[in-house]
Amino acid sequence: MSQRFVVTPAAGGAGDTGLTVEGSSQHPGPGPDPDPGPAVVPEPLGEDALPILRYCREPSRYGDGMPRENSPFITSVEVERESYYEGKNMALFEEEMDSNPMVSSLLNKLANYTNLSQGVVEHEEDEDSRRREAKAPRMGTFIGVYLPCLQNILGVILFLRLTWIVGAAGVLESLLIVSMCCTCTMLTAISMSAIATNGVVPAGGSYYMISRALGPEFGGAVGLCFYLGTTFAGAMYILGTIEIFLTYISPNAAIFQADGVGGEATAMLHNMRVYGSCTLALMAVVVFVGVKYVNKLALVFLACVVLSILAIYAGVIRTAFDPPDIRVYLLGNRTLSTRGFDTNTFVADNTTLITALRGLFCNGSSPSATCDEYFVQNNVTEIQGIPGVASGVFLNNLWSTYLDKGVFVEKEGVPSVPVTEESRASGLPYVRTDIMTYFTLLVGIYFPSVTGIMAGSNRSGDLKDAQKSIPTGTILAIVTTSFIYLSCIVLFGACIEGVVLRDKFGEALQGNLVIGMLAWPSPWVIVIGSFFSTCGAGLQSLTGAPRLLQAIARDGIIPFLQVFGHGKANGEPTWALLLTALICETGILIASLDSVAPILSMFFLMCYMFVNLACAVQTLLRTPNWRPRFKFYHWTLSFLGMSLCLALMFICSWYYALFAMLIAGCIYKYIEYRGAEKEWGDGIRGLSLNAARYALLRVEHGPPHTKNWRPQVLVMLNLDPEQHVKHPRLLSFASQLKAGKGLTIVGSVLEGTYLDKHSEAQQAEENIRALMGAEKTKGFCQLVVSSNLRDGTSHLIQSAGLGGMKHNTVLMAWPESWKQADNPFSWKNFVDTVRDTTAAHQALLVAKNVDLFPQNQERFSEGHIDVWWIVHDGGMLMLLPFLLRQHKVWRKCRMRIFTVAQVDDNSIQMKKDLQLFLYHLRISAEVEVVEMVENDISAFTYEKTLMMEQRSQMLKQMQLSKNEREREAQLIHDRNTAAHTAVATRAQAPPTPDKVQMTWTKEKLIAEKHRNRDTSAAGFKDLFSLKPEWGNLDQSNVRRMHTAVKLNGVVLSKSQDAQLVLLNMPGPPRNRQGDENYMEFLEVLTEGLNRVLLVRGGGREVITIYS
């Protein structure tokens, strides 16, 4: 367990808490209350009141002052505050009563809670709208959940396609298809019941459940998929309505007629498009004008469904003892289409039948006419289309009979004489398949018949006890419909002949609906019942889909959809209805029920998959708020349901599945990129937190292996009095160094106490986060309020990060005005920070002239990154240029490495060794070895040292006034400017022989020492004679200044034009008395360079040659 302690000095004592009790002179209490009870009498709910989960309209005077979205407390805007404060029992809490009401008030409002009309306005976002008080919910499980689910599940596929599915797939595979789909919806219903009983489910239904459980990104993506599925379901129902009308009720109403051979299918598609578009327009007008009439007709539509199913069962029972006389004719083993014939006048081998068929199979009625070869060779036979339950046809229908498109529907076991060539087969009255059939296609066509399980959760506001009714009603409806589907498959297979089952449009039955011919007392019961039920289902889809889109739009998570959140004065979603009609029209233009069904199967399956995912995630995370009243769930069931949904998606159509997932993925990324920031306590956020916790616990507390080491940076920012960042380019450099990888913590310190600086700290943190967003810095912000900057910086270095995810590198800017003693970030703070990083074994990067560093938008087209490798402190100097060159700003810069050879070093061998080292490190760079000769200390060095010590002594005099210190600082600045000019002049002079690259030998060394020995004594005498005070200087300071001056001259001669210079940063002196001198040494060392990065290693190797 990671723990973090930040200790800051606190000003004031125990008596400074400011906690006082007003009104210490207590006055007698009021008289007896005529209406005893709670201290707060809740006002009646007005149009503006929404009594639960409301934002606090006024920020609390104590606390963070932010609206609390997740607060369970209820505040009413118009309640008189004085009623809160009556009596003296709660005086201790009276100052917080506006945000934390009394428990009695809370319970009273909860008891009076009423949910409002569904799908109009989200309960959390109703700040500006007016609502009427809703009537108390009255519906129970049967009326409110069971019957709506039953009506939505049973529909067009049952009446129009189930017999065809049984004929093509056989009874066994049909049972498998139905079992898979019903198992999928049952598992989804269990997950949905758990989510729906975990609190109140307001407007939005399934969308609300998914979005609040999985977050706005998943919620928006799945919500839109569910919306598209509901919209295409409306198109499917309308197409089913038109198919029933044109095929079975009024075939003569067709506008387009077949042109020539094979034109029936094309003409039918055109008729479906025309009639479907007109029906859609009519339904949209009905929904727009009067939704209440649609809801009132729902019971009529439900009655049609129930009567139709009862008629099917009655017809099956009747076939057991009195099978209907429905004749089907075969030519050979091919089924003949009798559409347009009166089969009541036909008898097998009768002259009437033969004459009618000769007119179709021959080119004339005379005996000498030429006839079709197959017609001549085969006989016409008659069979019973519905032989009944006791006929034994069940065994023949047990196995599948998948056919290609356009082939004959043939009966097995009937003798047939094949012929070699048929010229006119396409125009003859055979029953043919219109599409190729296979198992996965049938799954996609059938699945829409099990959708509709969300009907109960969408109406939770109309239920007496939604948390009891939704699970019970939904699961009972699924059990009922599953029994109906499974029993119908068995009964169809047992009652109806196989060729009739495979006859999709009933052509062998004179164009009658196959399931209608089975029903009792009349086929018209099924035809009319299915017509009205599909019509009603289409109306309900056009009613529900716009409300779902309106709920998504009013959530504000998808900006371009916000226009669809508006509607009429009564909340009806006008614009959403228009968009729904347009999308529905695209489905109608497809015009084929078999093509539209797999599309909406994809969207529904994706929705169900994420419902299961939401339940599984919440269960596995064990979040404290996950307390469903429905207890019969388990994460394994949810995971199985999710897997089954995903499998069914790819079984139905792998390319539709990929397309649907692509749409959902695009919506997800769009919401993530552009959507409004929402915090709904969703499970995905909880999953992220759990994953982060798991990863942090797995990260070892010790340092990572050298191969895994990368700079985890703590960026120390300085703020101005307005809480803005002083050096924003430090963040730019951090993002260039990190390129989005690893850990970045942006830290800053405010001076003061937390209670006093609370609002300033919030403002500063917002400014820093805004700058991080502008600079595209991926990381965390951590701001500390401390009594002084020194302690705050130390606290950040010690405590930033969590567990194994702690920083190992500190990046800060060079204090440009360090010579001013009253500077908030003075040289003392800087040197102590250097010591803190050294003690913490952390690397330190100091950017000098940081305001000259490039922004992220800049690009260097050429130039060098120069590394001056003076001492080895872990390889940071090698690694940093490599990381920088990964960024676009530095990508075209070349890397040069300079190292310094002393008198006793072999510079040629050093260069070879360094090149070999870089080769093993896989780093490409130019290598140069610079030799430095031990020559005499110059007068310039003595003068710089004298100025440094004099300034140091003067700053230590506490009697100096502020103005005098400023004048002293200005004087020293002028002298430094003059010294800088002298250094630049020396740098531009021709190089002396002792600066050229050369290899030292013993003879050269002895000669050089003898040459210098003769002049050294006279030189020192001359120097000390110029200024006698030079002799009193601290010789260690003189030596350090000599190193700084000489090294600065060498760096200037080589790297003055470099884009960036990286230089070893020497450590501070062990004796704290020389801290101010240390700053002067660093200033001299980097003088004259544009961009400098001083690098101090953390005491460990950060780069390796091994793989």
Side-chain angles (χ1 to χ4, degrees), residues 297-407:
L297 288 173
L299 193 59
V300 177
F301 300 142
L302 177 62
C304 293
V305 175
V306 174
L307 289 176
S308 300
I309 293 174
L310 292 178
I312 294 171
Y313 283 113
V316 171
I317 295 173
R318 176 173 170 266
T319 62
F321 54 85
D322 184 18
D325 183 19
I326 300 174
R327 288 170 286 179
V328 175
Y329 297 97
L330 305 176
L331 178 61
N333 62 353
R334 299 176 183 177
T335 309
L336 291 175
S337 172
T338 57
R339 186 187 295 272
F341 292 137
D342 183 8
T343 57
N344 293 324
T345 62
F346 289 175
V347 180
D349 299 325
N350 194 336
T351 308
T352 308
L353 174 61
I354 299 299
T355 303
L357 292 178
R358 283 183 65 87
L360 296 172
F361 283 90
C362 303
N363 58 4
S365 58
S366 62
S368 61
T370 304
C371 295
D372 181 73
E373 184 68 21
Y374 190 85
F375 178 73
V376 173
Q377 297 292 334
N378 290 276
N379 297 323
V380 177
T381 57
E382 175 189 299
I383 61 172
Q384 282 296 321
I386 303 180
V389 177
S391 63
V393 75
F394 180 78
L395 295 177
N396 297 331
N397 294 329
L398 209 55
W399 309 105
S400 62
T401 307
Y402 296 120
L403 301 172
D404 287 332
K405 180 179 179 180
V407 302

Side-chain angles (χ1 to χ4, degrees), residues 11-204:
D16 296 332
T17 58
L19 180 62
T20 60
V21 180
E22 297 180 4
S24 56
S25 58
Q26 300 178 358
H27 58 278
D33 193 344
D35 185 22
V40 181
V41 179
E43 65 169 3
L45 297 178
E47 292 183 353
D48 186 54
L50 187 60
I52 192 169
L53 294 174
R54 293 281 284 172
Y55 287 110
C56 298
R57 297 215 179 188
E58 296 181 5
S60 172
R61 286 180 292 167
Y62 284 76
D64 56 5
M66 299 296 290
R68 303 178 182 180
E69 181 178 2
N70 297 326
S71 173
F73 300 127
I74 294 141
T75 59
S76 185
V77 181
E78 306 297 335
V79 173
E80 296 291 336
R81 291 189 180 181
E82 288 76 14
S83 62
Y84 276 158
Y85 307 146
E86 289 180 2
K88 298 177 285 295
N89 292 335
M90 295 295 154
L92 186 62
F93 301 95
E94 64 183 15
E95 290 185 338
E96 295 180 329
M97 285 290 186
D98 55 351
S99 62
N100 300 342
M102 292 175 60
V103 175
S104 58
S105 172
L106 168 68
L107 295 177
N108 197 310
K109 292 233 175 65
L110 280 176
N112 293 331
Y113 169 65
T114 58
N115 202 341
L116 302 178
S117 58
Q118 299 294 294
V120 179
V121 183
E122 273 284 331
H123 72 291
E124 295 175 76
E125 307 292 340
D126 189 31
E127 294 294 339
D128 301 321
S129 63
R130 300 291 179 180
R131 287 181 166 187
R132 297 180 180 177
E133 183 177 358
K135 295 181 180 179
R138 300 182 183 278
M139 287 193 294
T141 303
F142 186 76
I143 299 294
V145 180
Y146 180 76
L147 290 182
C149 286
L150 207 67
Q151 179 185 358
N152 278 268
I153 294 174
L154 299 172
V156 61
I157 301 296
L158 171 64
F159 301 118
L160 295 184
R161 293 292 183 269
L162 191 58
T163 54
W164 172 70
I165 290 174
V166 174
V171 174
L172 294 180
E173 291 190 20
S174 299
L175 290 176
L176 177 62
I177 292 173
V178 174
S179 300
M180 287 171 52
C181 297
C182 291
T183 303
C184 175
T185 54
M186 177 61 78
L187 294 173
T188 304
I190 293 173
S191 300
M192 184 195 71
S193 300
I195 298 175
T197 58
N198 189 50
V200 180
V201 179

Side-chain angles (χ1 to χ4, degrees), residues 821-856:
D822 59 344
N823 187 282
F825 196 80
S826 63
W827 55 269
K828 188 67 176 173
N829 290 340
F830 177 81
V831 179
D832 285 342
T833 302
V834 177
R835 288 196 174 98
D836 285 344
T837 57
T838 303
H841 300 289
Q842 296 173 2
L844 177 65
L845 309 178
V846 179
K848 196 167 185 292
N849 301 325
V850 67
D851 293 330
L852 299 179
F853 276 56
Q855 293 180 325
N856 289 329

Side-chain angles (χ1 to χ4, degrees), residues 645-891:
C645 289
L646 186 63
L648 283 174
M649 287 178 66
F650 282 92
I651 285 174
C652 293
S653 174
W654 64 268
Y655 47 88
Y656 276 170
L658 292 177
F659 183 68
M661 295 173 74
L662 177 64
I663 291 177
C666 292
I667 298 170
Y668 179 94
K669 296 306 291 183
Y670 176 80
I671 297 173
E672 187 180 50
Y673 179 68
R674 291 291 306 275
E677 296 181 2
K678 296 283 184 180
E679 174 52 57
W680 289 330
D682 52 89
I684 292 297
R685 182 172 176 82
L687 187 64
S688 302
L689 292 174
N690 255 29
R693 169 185 166 275
Y694 177 77
L696 283 173
L697 290 176
R698 283 184 59 88
V699 174
E700 53 186 341
H701 286 285
H705 191 273
T706 303
K707 290 186 291 186
N708 296 328
W709 195 94
R710 68 167 62 246
Q712 317 285 8
V713 180
L714 169 63
V715 185
M716 298 296 300
L717 296 179
N718 300 330
L719 303 175
D720 59 17
E722 286 77 26
Q723 315 308 332
H724 291 104
V725 178
K726 285 186 177 179
H727 303 295
R729 298 207 179 188
L730 197 63
L731 271 183
S732 303
F733 182 73
S735 63
Q736 295 161 19
L737 181 64
K738 301 293 293 178
K741 303 295 190 300
L743 175 70
T744 302
I745 303 174
V746 180
S748 188
V749 180
L750 278 184
E751 194 169 7
T753 60
Y754 185 70
L755 289 179
D756 296 335
K757 295 286 186 178
H758 173 67
S759 58
E760 289 89 339
Q762 280 189 329
Q763 182 62 44
E765 191 166 346
E766 290 177 5
N767 294 339
I768 293 175
R769 290 187 188 279
L771 182 61
M772 290 173 66
E775 297 293 341
K776 297 181 180 179
T777 303
K778 304 288 186 181
F780 308 97
C781 177
Q782 189 163 354
L783 191 135
V784 170
V785 181
S786 178
S787 57
N788 58 73
L789 296 176
R790 168 73 190 91
D791 290 341
T793 306
S794 178
H795 295 156
L796 274 178
I797 292 175
Q798 294 175 61
S799 62
L802 179 64
M805 285 294 288
K806 291 182 66 69
H807 63 280
N808 55 28
T809 305
V810 177
L811 173 63
M812 59 192 306
W814 172 262
E816 300 292 344
S817 55
W818 64 271
K819 297 180 182 180
Q820 300 177 9
D822 59 344
N823 187 282
F825 196 80
S826 63
W827 55 269
K828 188 67 176 173
N829 290 340
F830 177 81
V831 179
D832 285 342
T833 302
V834 177
R835 288 196 174 98
D836 285 344
T837 57
T838 303
H841 300 289
Q842 296 173 2
L844 177 65
L845 309 178
V846 179
K848 196 167 185 292
N849 301 325
V850 67
D851 293 330
L852 299 179
F853 276 56
Q855 293 180 325
N856 289 329
Q857 296 78 18
E858 298 181 35
R859 301 287 184 270
F860 288 134
S861 58
E862 58 182 5
H864 296 92
I865 300 177
D866 286 356
V867 176
W868 284 85
W869 193 18
I870 311 300
V871 294
H872 179 66
D873 56 356
M876 280 284 287
L877 285 170
M878 306 293 177
L879 186 61
L880 292 176
F882 171 77
L883 295 177
L884 281 175
R885 293 182 69 242
Q886 308 302 310
H887 197 272
K888 295 178 181 179
V889 174
W890 306 91
R891 186 164 295 166

Side-chain angles (χ1 to χ4, degrees), residues 319-549:
T319 62
F321 54 85
D322 184 18
D325 183 19
I326 300 174
R327 288 170 286 179
V328 175
Y329 297 97
L330 305 176
L331 178 61
N333 62 353
R334 299 176 183 177
T335 309
L336 291 175
S337 172
T338 57
R339 186 187 295 272
F341 292 137
D342 183 8
T343 57
N344 293 324
T345 62
F346 289 175
V347 180
D349 299 325
N350 194 336
T351 308
T352 308
L353 174 61
I354 299 299
T355 303
L357 292 178
R358 283 183 65 87
L360 296 172
F361 283 90
C362 303
N363 58 4
S365 58
S366 62
S368 61
T370 304
C371 295
D372 181 73
E373 184 68 21
Y374 190 85
F375 178 73
V376 173
Q377 297 292 334
N378 290 276
N379 297 323
V380 177
T381 57
E382 175 189 299
I383 61 172
Q384 282 296 321
I386 303 180
V389 177
S391 63
V393 75
F394 180 78
L395 295 177
N396 297 331
N397 294 329
L398 209 55
W399 309 105
S400 62
T401 307
Y402 296 120
L403 301 172
D404 287 332
K405 180 179 179 180
V407 302
F408 304 109
V409 176
E410 299 175 342
K411 178 174 174 55
E412 296 180 358
V414 176
S416 173
V417 179
V419 293
T420 57
E421 183 177 351
E422 296 182 73
S423 58
R424 299 179 58 241
S426 58
L428 299 178
Y430 294 122
V431 178
R432 298 171 178 270
T433 57
D434 62 331
I435 60 173
M436 185 174 67
T437 53
Y438 44 91
F439 179 79
T440 57
L441 172 75
L442 299 182
V443 174
I445 292 175
Y446 173 76
F447 187 81
S449 64
V450 297
T451 59
I453 62 174
M454 300 288 188
S457 64
N458 290 341
R459 304 172 185 216
S460 59
D462 301 326
L463 303 173
K464 286 181 182 178
D465 186 359
Q467 298 188 354
K468 177 184 176 182
S469 297
I470 289 177
T472 307
T474 305
I475 292 175
L476 280 179
I478 293 176
V479 171
T480 304
T481 54
S482 300
F483 172 77
I484 291 173
Y485 282 127
L486 293 172
S487 62
C488 282
I489 287 174
V490 174
L491 295 176
F492 291 163
C495 295
I496 306 175
E497 180 63 50
V499 291
V500 178
L501 287 174
R502 289 187 287 278
D503 184 6
K504 183 189 291 187
F505 300 108
E507 295 181 14
L509 305 178
Q510 293 180 275
N512 290 314
L513 183 62
V514 175
I515 197 172
M517 301 303 291
L518 175 65
W520 181 85
S522 169
W524 288 101
V525 175
I526 297 291
V527 173
I528 300 300
S530 61
F531 177 80
F532 281 110
S533 67
T534 52
C535 186
L539 278 172
Q540 289 188 337
S541 295
L542 288 180
T543 305
R547 279 158 180 74
L548 179 60
L549 180 62

Side-chain angles (χ1 to χ4, degrees), residues 2-21:
S2 298
Q3 297 181 349
R4 179 187 304 161
F5 297 93
V6 178
V7 182
T8 56
D16 296 332
T17 58
L19 180 62
T20 60
V21 180

Side-chain angles (χ1 to χ4, degrees), residues 868 980 983-984 987 1046-1057 1085-1090:
W868 284 85
H980 170 66
V983 170
K1046 191 163 184 60
L1047 191 56
N1048 175 255
V1050 173
V1051 173
L1052 277 176
S1053 65
K1054 299 288 185 180
S1055 303
Q1056 192 169 17
D1057 296 329
L1085 180 63
T1086 58
E1087 204 165 18
L1089 298 172
N1090 290 329

